[in-house]
Amino acid sequence: MKRQKLILILVVSLVFSIFVTACGNGNNGNEKGTAGKTAAQELKALELQSIPSMDSVMAQDTVSFTTMNNVMEGLYRLDPDQNVVEGMAEGEPEVSKDGTVYTFKIRNTKWSNGDPVTANDFVYAWQRAIDPKIASPYGPYMMDGKIKGAAEISAAGANKTDYDVSSLGVKAVDDKTLQVTLERPIPYFKSLMAFPTFYPQNKKFVEEQGEDYGKTADNLVFNGPFVLSDWKGSTAAEWTYSKNKDYWDADTVKLEKVQWNVLKDPQAAANALETGEADITPKLSSDIVPQYEDDKRLVKWLEPTVFWLKMNQKDNKALQNTDIRKAVAQAINKKDFVDSILNNGSIVANYAVPREFVKNEETGKDFREINGDKLLPYNVDNAKKAWDKGLAAIGTEAVELRYLTDDTENAKKTAEYIKNQLETNLPGLTLKVESVPFSVRIDRENSQDYDLQMAGWGPDYLDPMTFSDLWLTGGGNNKMNYSNSKYDQLVKDAQTTLAQKPVERYEALAKAEKVLLEEDAAIAPIYQRSSNLLVSEKVENFTHHLVGPEYSYKWTSVK
């Protein structure tokens, strides 16, 4: 299908004029300084989406996690070189001989309301995250099988039996000493601790706010490099980072302010950077990337993030059929999609765990070398055969599916392509596209109110398990009613009996990947994303991450 360029000048101009009004004077902080003057440490950045939640226990999206990464802090964080460095943890932890008990010292620092950050703040937040009554979307996913007692609490909640969150393997020995007990040694444990689900929360403040906690900037306290202000909630189109003077490492933080605005039109965002109304854009669409291929302001990298079609089997007779799912998964020309629609360096994905992500600690080989990159590839003939077989099995000649997607320009173009491919290659299929705001899509995914959905997953920590355990039966991020006992057992083996056997562990996870894709076609992998965005030349030390939250502004400054 031919790609249409978005050159709607009138519309773009209108959007841009509104944006200029919202941002104020375009010369602010952007004029060349005179001799002897230092540059104002202020930046203007753009985002494609609003922030759905700022409760670290309830958040489940990249925008929320990235914002938290800049205004809050856990035991560890990632530095500009992707290394795990100390956050609230001070010095190396004491580790038991069997590698299952970690004892951390919490540094002397305070929340933005003046309260000290204590070990109890971690205990309280983690217990909230695992409490079935709270229903954290990430807590069980991040803790079950890792933090001692987590799986038992989750199981009790699912079975509606009694449980005690204090049985979770985390306790405050005293105000400044935190002890964490694991189910088993975890080689990526420090990387895991950098993820926002494990951030502390001020119990007194959270309970004072009640149901309003995390819903606006006024209902939050901060312990990170910045504080958040001017954020009015999940539909807000602007917010501000301001330097946190009380942050323990405030001397490292050079920026005084980062002003954020939501702008969903990528061309308008690029225009805003050209005129000095923005210093950092969101990720660019394929229409724009070629314009900047040789531009020093283009920042580009291959992410370990894979996008796939989720196929929701809940209450859907068609998608409960394996052949129907195999047909959908093989009917999309991924190469044409990445070349003509994305055209930004993204690559075809015929796998669930990305390439160039992790290497086996014993063999030094990329995980992708085990299964290669030919799982569930594009094949129209095979797709049509599976389609006909599936239709016969469910006794129909036509199927209508709802395709849930975001309301950004990039998402709409992707939806148009997917619709064209599936309806062309699978006769009798009708795809109804439903474009909604990001926060609405998240809610509908949680309630499983969709048939097909383009969803992406970036790793939360440095291990293939961050992808493999997504599809466990009843898993917190499954949300499509996929279940296979063989898959579950392979992943469980990798988590337990093979945990200290690197080669065998990777082989078990590779077998699980084959079950997921070749046997069940539970998802339809499409591409591994390349990121492209524009960063003004006045910005120094722009920092992006390959794991967890996407960006850190702790080390960024204005030249």
Side-chain angles (χ1 to χ4, degrees):
M1 184 181 70
K2 290 186 177 180
R3 177 168 53 92
Q4 290 185 329
K5 281 200 171 186
L6 187 65
I7 314 178
L8 303 179
I9 299 175
L10 182 60
V11 174
V12 169
S13 298
L14 178 59
V15 172
F16 182 58
S17 67
I18 293 172
F19 172 72
V20 171
T21 302
C23 283
N25 189 338
N27 291 327
N28 183 25
N30 197 53
E31 295 179 347
K32 292 183 178 180
T34 58
K37 294 186 74 173
T38 57
Q41 292 298 315
E42 298 183 359
L43 292 176
K44 291 168 288 188
L46 301 176
E47 181 56 83
L48 286 173
Q49 308 284 2
S50 301
I51 306 170
S53 174
M54 280 299 291
D55 181 346
S56 58
V57 165
M58 299 307 295
Q60 58 181 321
D61 67 281
T62 301
V63 178
S64 298
F65 288 142
T66 297
T67 306
M68 289 175 195
N69 180 56
N70 287 284
V71 301
M72 300 176 186
E73 187 165 86
L75 295 170
Y76 296 97
R77 64 167 53 247
L78 295 185
D79 73 5
D81 297 318
Q82 315 301 325
N83 297 314
V84 179
V85 296
E86 293 173 7
M88 292 291 101
E90 187 169 35
E92 284 295 314
E94 294 181 12
V95 185
S96 64
K97 288 184 178 180
D98 66 357
T100 63
V101 181
Y102 283 70
T103 304
F104 299 93
K105 287 297 181 182
I106 307 302
R107 65 175 72 252
N108 288 316
T109 187
K110 56 188 177 181
W111 295 97
S112 54
N113 67 349
D115 293 343
V117 177
T118 70
N120 288 292
D121 295 331
F122 286 89
V123 174
Y124 173 68
W126 293 20
Q127 289 180 352
R128 278 192 77 219
I130 200 60
D131 190 343
K133 292 187 181 71
I134 300 297
S136 166
Y138 250 73
Y141 164 67
M142 296 298 282
M143 295 185 186
D144 286 2
K146 303 179 184 76
I147 310 300
K148 192 172 183 62
E152 289 77 9
I153 294 171
S154 295
N159 296 326
K160 302 188 184 306
T161 56
D162 292 338
Y163 61 88
D164 181 3
V165 293
S166 67
S167 65
L168 185 69
V170 56
K171 71 176 182 178
V173 177
D174 56 46
D175 280 353
K176 292 297 178 182
T177 308
L178 179 72
Q179 189 175 86
V180 181
T181 303
L182 308 179
E183 289 283 2
R184 65 189 186 283
I186 299 177
Y188 54 87
F189 180 61
K190 284 187 178 180
S191 173
L192 187 70
M193 291 297 99
F195 197 78
T197 303
F198 294 101
Y199 285 1
Q201 292 187 341
N202 184 319
K203 179 179 180 180
K204 179 182 176 182
F205 184 86
V206 173
E207 292 182 344
E208 285 176 351
Q209 301 302 308
E211 293 183 358
D212 291 331
Y213 176 71
K215 291 187 176 179
T216 72
D218 294 335
N219 306 121
L220 289 160
V221 287
F222 312 99
N223 71 323
F226 301 91
V227 297
L228 182 67
S229 61
D230 306 321
W231 180 60
K232 303 302 182 184
S234 62
T235 61
E238 59 184 50
W239 56 88
T240 303
Y241 296 171
S242 298
K243 182 175 178 177
N244 183 358
K245 307 296 184 183
D246 295 321
Y247 177 57
W248 69 271
D249 198 20
D251 288 347
T252 297
V253 183
K254 299 297 186 288
L255 289 174
E256 293 290 336
K257 179 180 178 181
V258 183
Q259 175 64 51
W260 289 88
N261 286 85
V262 174
L263 191 58
K264 297 183 179 183
D265 186 320
Q267 184 63 64
N271 291 345
L273 185 127
E274 292 289 359
T275 60
E277 292 298 329
D279 303 308
I280 302 170
T281 71
K283 291 172 183 176
L284 303 176
S285 67
S286 58
D287 291 339
I288 302 169
V289 173
Q291 303 171 29
Y292 291 93
E293 280 297 347
D294 299 318
D295 196 307
K296 293 181 180 179
R297 296 170 297 176
L298 181 67
V299 178
K300 186 173 189 172
W301 68 96
L302 180 66
E303 295 184 49
T305 297
V306 180
F307 279 77
W308 43 57
L309 286 183
K310 293 183 72 170
M311 294 185 269
N312 185 14
Q313 298 181 40
K314 181 182 178 182
D315 303 324
N316 191 307
K317 186 177 180 181
L319 292 177
Q320 288 168 0
N321 181 277
T322 303
D323 287 306
I324 294 291
R325 297 195 303 273
K326 286 184 177 180
V328 171
Q330 297 177 92
I332 300 167
N333 189 330
K334 307 174 193 181
K335 184 68 166 62
D336 181 58
F337 177 73
V338 298
D339 288 347
S340 65
I341 301 300
L342 297 181
N343 191 26
N344 62 3
S346 295
I347 61 176
V348 168
N350 295 310
Y351 44 74
V353 180
R355 57 181 271 193
E356 299 179 21
F357 168 43
V358 286
K359 294 181 178 180
N360 190 293
E361 61 186 84
E362 193 165 304
T363 66
K365 292 185 177 180
D366 191 310
F367 178 83
R368 274 269 48 83
E369 292 186 40
I370 303 174
N371 282 341
D373 60 357
K374 301 300 182 184
L375 304 179
L376 217 56
Y378 169 62
N379 188 313
V380 175
D381 290 339
N382 286 348
K384 287 181 176 179
K385 289 176 184 177
W387 181 247
D388 291 340
K389 184 178 178 182
L391 290 181
I394 63 176
T396 186
E397 295 181 353
V399 171
E400 180 176 286
L401 298 175
R402 297 174 301 146
Y403 177 96
L404 179 65
T405 187
D406 294 321
D407 60 355
T408 64
E409 291 303 314
N410 289 348
K412 290 176 182 178
K413 283 187 285 186
T414 294
E416 180 184 356
Y417 185 87
I418 298 297
K419 176 179 172 66
N420 177 275
Q421 286 282 289
L422 292 181
E423 291 184 346
T424 298
N425 294 330
L426 302 177
L429 175 61
T430 300
L431 206 64
K432 181 182 177 184
V433 176
E434 299 173 347
S435 299
V436 299
F438 185 53
S439 59
V440 175
R441 181 175 70 79
I442 293 295
D443 288 341
R444 286 185 55 178
E445 179 178 20
N446 288 337
S447 62
Q448 291 187 227
D449 181 15
Y450 72 95
D451 295 327
L452 299 179
Q453 178 188 183
M454 180 69 78
W457 188 264
D460 298 325
Y461 47 89
L462 290 167
D463 193 85
M465 187 62 72
T466 188
F467 289 89
S468 302
D469 65 5
L470 290 172
W471 316 116
L472 291 172
T473 299
N477 286 285
N478 189 316
K479 296 187 178 69
M480 59 182 197
N481 274 41
Y482 172 67
S483 178
N484 184 308
S485 59
K486 181 180 176 182
Y487 183 89
D488 293 347
Q489 188 61 53
L490 286 164
V491 174
K492 182 179 179 181
D493 289 345
Q495 291 175 327
T496 54
T497 57
L498 302 178
Q500 299 303 302
K501 300 176 180 179
V503 175
E504 292 91 336
R505 181 172 178 270
Y506 268 38
E507 288 175 349
L509 293 177
K511 288 178 182 177
E513 185 183 46
K514 281 195 170 186
V515 172
L516 179 76
L517 300 182
E518 287 190 339
E519 293 185 21
D520 291 343
I523 57 174
I526 306 296
Y527 69 99
Q528 183 174 339
R529 182 171 68 184
S530 173
S531 284
N532 301 262
L533 69 162
L534 298 175
V535 178
S536 168
E537 290 186 274
K538 76 177 187 180
V539 179
E540 196 162 36
N541 293 326
F542 173 74
T543 300
H544 66 83
H545 299 301
L546 301 180
V547 175
E550 286 194 306
Y551 309 114
S552 290
Y553 288 89
K554 174 177 177 175
W555 296 276
T556 303
S557 63
V558 178
K559 294 180 183 179

